[in-house]
Amino acid sequence: MSDNSVAIKPDTRNHKGFFVQDGDYNLVSIDASGWALICVDDAVCHYVDPDNLLMPQEQD
């Protein structure tokens, strides 16, 4: 993935309260309301709490 690759913490939920599948995502943006937009590809994206993101250096 690109330089914006992130993983998520276990049991992360999206803005609707549904669990998000563990895996590698691309961090697209963090909007003004505080949600981070992460995407697997062009069709699958989720809004999540930025505190649930694991940046590459945190994944080791």
Side-chain angles (χ1 to χ4, degrees):
M1 294 187 88
S2 71
D3 291 351
N4 293 331
S5 292
V6 295
I8 56 172
K9 294 179 181 177
D11 299 327
T12 295
R13 294 177 182 255
N14 66 13
H15 68 293
K16 293 183 179 180
F18 295 103
F19 286 106
V20 177
Q21 185 175 1
D22 290 343
D24 292 325
Y25 292 87
N26 183 34
L27 176 61
V28 176
S29 66
I30 298 178
D31 67 19
S33 63
W35 291 101
L37 178 61
I38 58 173
C39 297
V40 175
D41 55 31
D42 291 338
V44 179
C45 295
H46 303 280
Y47 279 105
V48 298
D49 184 339
D51 290 339
N52 289 325
L53 300 180
L54 297 172
M55 299 304 183
Q57 65 272 17
E58 297 176 20
Q59 296 176 33
D60 297 332

